[in-house]
Amino acid sequence: MSGTHIGVPSVLAHELPRPVPLDEVARCPVGDVFRRLGDRWSLLLLSLLGTRPHRYNELHRSVEGISQRMLTRTLRSLESDGLVRRQVHPTVPPSVEYSLTPLGGTLLEPLSALADWAVLHAGEMDEARARHTG
């Protein structure tokens, strides 16, 4: 909620130019986050790491259908965004553990709100899709 627009969702607090310029869409931090988290695996990995740190192989076993290549790419991307921390432990062989960074931890509450909304309204959306396609 915006401080100057009490009761107005922050997404509606600022008027968008018409038409919305493509370069503005590309620079939008909100769109950037949704594109980043909207892939197939990121939300799932963030949810798993939100419970506790995981070793690489444990994550791989925990997510059915994810290839090692895709797990590595997704974890590297989340790490480069500052959401996940990779820690190598000096063991033989070396073990790697992944955890959420403090920044990644701050994402859990808004993700939970979106997940709660999705669960609450999934039936309505399914019905709307059925009406639209049927």
Side-chain angles (χ1 to χ4, degrees), residues 22-52:
L22 281 177
D23 65 328
E24 195 164 312
V25 172
R27 288 191 323 264
C28 177
V30 177
D32 186 46
V33 168
F34 277 104
R35 281 186 295 278
R36 175 70 215 98
L37 299 179
D39 67 30
R40 187 172 186 181
W41 307 111
S42 291
L43 290 177
L44 181 56
L45 292 174
L46 289 170
S47 296
L48 289 169
L49 293 173
T51 61
R52 62 179 175 76

Side-chain angles (χ1 to χ4, degrees), residues 1-8 10 13:
M1 190 161 52
S2 168
T4 58
H5 295 79
I6 304 302
V8 176
S10 61

Side-chain angles (χ1 to χ4, degrees), residues 5 11 16 29 33 39 54 58 65 68-70 74-75 79 92 94 98 101 105-106 108 115 117-118 125 128:
H5 295 79
V11 73
L16 294 172
V33 168
D39 67 30
H54 285 70
E58 182 182 17
Q68 288 186 335
R69 180 176 183 261
M70 187 53 64
T74 305
L75 288 168
E79 184 182 10
V92 178
Y98 293 88
T101 63
T106 66
L108 293 176
W117 182 92
M125 291 182 70

Side-chain angles (χ1 to χ4, degrees), residues 7-126:
V8 176
S10 61
V11 73
L12 303 177
H14 303 283
E15 190 171 333
L16 294 172
R18 305 288 169 100
V20 178
L22 281 177
D23 65 328
E24 195 164 312
V25 172
R27 288 191 323 264
C28 177
V30 177
D32 186 46
V33 168
F34 277 104
R35 281 186 295 278
R36 175 70 215 98
L37 299 179
D39 67 30
R40 187 172 186 181
W41 307 111
S42 291
L43 290 177
L44 181 56
L45 292 174
L46 289 170
S47 296
L48 289 169
L49 293 173
T51 61
R52 62 179 175 76
H54 285 70
R55 293 170 84 167
Y56 180 89
N57 285 330
E58 182 182 17
L59 282 172
H60 190 246
R61 285 189 305 271
S62 297
V63 181
E64 186 176 317
I66 192 169
S67 66
Q68 288 186 335
R69 180 176 183 261
M70 187 53 64
L71 177 58
T72 299
R73 287 180 61 186
T74 305
L75 288 168
R76 283 182 182 161
S77 185
L78 292 168
E79 184 182 10
S80 73
D81 289 336
L83 302 174
V84 168
R85 187 181 107 201
R86 178 181 187 267
Q87 183 174 14
V88 179
H89 296 284
T91 58
V92 178
S95 64
V96 179
E97 185 176 76
Y98 293 88
S99 59
L100 290 186
T101 63
L103 178 63
T106 66
L107 193 53
L108 293 176
E109 187 174 342
L111 287 179
S112 295
L114 186 57
D116 293 344
W117 182 92
V119 169
L120 182 64
H121 297 287
E124 295 168 69
M125 291 182 70
D126 289 343

